[in-house]
Structure formats: structure tokens, C-alpha cells
Amino acid sequence: MIAIDSSVIIDLLADDARTAEGAEASLRQSLTNGPVVVCDVVLAEVTTALRDGAEALGVLEEMGIAFLALEARSAVRAGEMQRRYRQRGGLRQRTVPDFIVGAHALLQCSALITRDASFFRDYFKGLKLIVPKGA
């Protein structure tokens, strides 16, 4: 099972062919390996980009993307990683949702499709990252 970050889904919905092509190729390849899922945070973020929740769920279903709820252990890990980030002097540009996406992918999935590889590499050691071309 592979998680997908909201930025990649937004790329799929946008009119920018440069980022959409890479995002689509990454999604298609990942779907051949098994389910692709979003966590609670990504579903909420995608919903903000569309008309409403029903549209967001419909779009995700059309793309072949399912929903996988966040488990308690992933929420705890996200909080621990956010605390470490703040202790290292991290600014408010990284908030709990970023850490939830990473913890969900690390503990509940086998990889994450994202454009933000440097952040996830730094805080989620061992998480396999799939970075779309053109990102």
C-alpha cells in the first residue's frame, strides 16, 4: 500500500502539464504495485481545493485512490516528530499535518508519493519516497 501526498493530487487536478504528467505517471506506476491511499489530513486538504467532500471523494475514487484512516500509533509518532522539529529550531512552516502524512506513510504504508522529499527524508528515516518527475 502506498500513500500519496496532497500536493501530488493537487498537481493531478491542476492545469500545469509539467507537474501533472509526472504526478500521473507516479500514480499509475504505484497503482500497478497495489492500493494507493490518502490519510485524514490529505483528504481534508484535497477537499479544500474542490467544491465539497463528496466531490473530493469522487475525484479520489476516479483516480483509484482509497482512504485509510490514521491509526493512534501514527498520530503519536507525528506528535513526537513535530516536537523534535520544534526542538531543532524548526519554524512554524511545518505543522502537525505534515508530520501526520509522514507518520501515516511510514507506519501504515510502504511508501509515499510526494514532491517534498527532503522534508520526509529528514524526519521519517526509512520511508520509501516516490518523487514525480518535474516536481
Side-chain angles (χ1 to χ4, degrees):
M1 188 166 355
I2 297 172
I4 187 168
D5 199 359
S6 55
S7 60
V8 178
I9 296 171
I10 300 302
D11 287 346
L12 290 164
L13 298 173
D15 275 341
D16 185 348
R18 182 183 57 84
T19 56
E21 286 179 24
E24 184 176 351
S26 293
L27 176 59
R28 285 186 190 281
Q29 179 61 42
S30 295
L31 285 167
T32 66
N33 295 322
V36 174
V37 299
V38 295
C39 69
D40 315 59
V41 167
V42 173
L43 178 57
E45 290 173 340
V46 170
T47 299
T48 66
L50 298 170
R51 189 175 43 235
D52 56 37
E55 182 181 16
L57 289 169
V59 165
L60 291 174
E61 185 177 331
E62 279 181 30
M63 292 179 182
I65 301 170
F67 172 74
L68 179 65
L70 186 72
E71 294 176 357
R73 67 188 177 119
S74 297
V76 168
R77 175 68 66 89
E80 291 169 349
M81 297 286 71
Q82 167 72 358
R83 183 177 60 243
R84 182 177 297 166
Y85 170 79
R86 297 291 292 159
Q87 288 171 342
R88 288 172 66 184
L91 304 174
R92 292 235 181 247
Q93 88 186 68
R94 292 291 175 186
T95 59
V96 171
D98 296 320
F99 292 92
I100 288 174
V101 170
H104 175 264
L106 178 68
L107 298 176
Q108 295 179 236
C109 301
S110 61
L112 174 65
I113 307 169
T114 184
R115 284 194 283 125
D116 199 1
S118 61
F119 166 71
F120 290 108
R121 264 191 207 103
D122 192 22
Y123 283 91
F124 297 95
K125 304 283 189 243
L127 175 59
K128 179 182 175 193
L129 300 174
I130 300 165
V131 181
K133 291 191 189 317

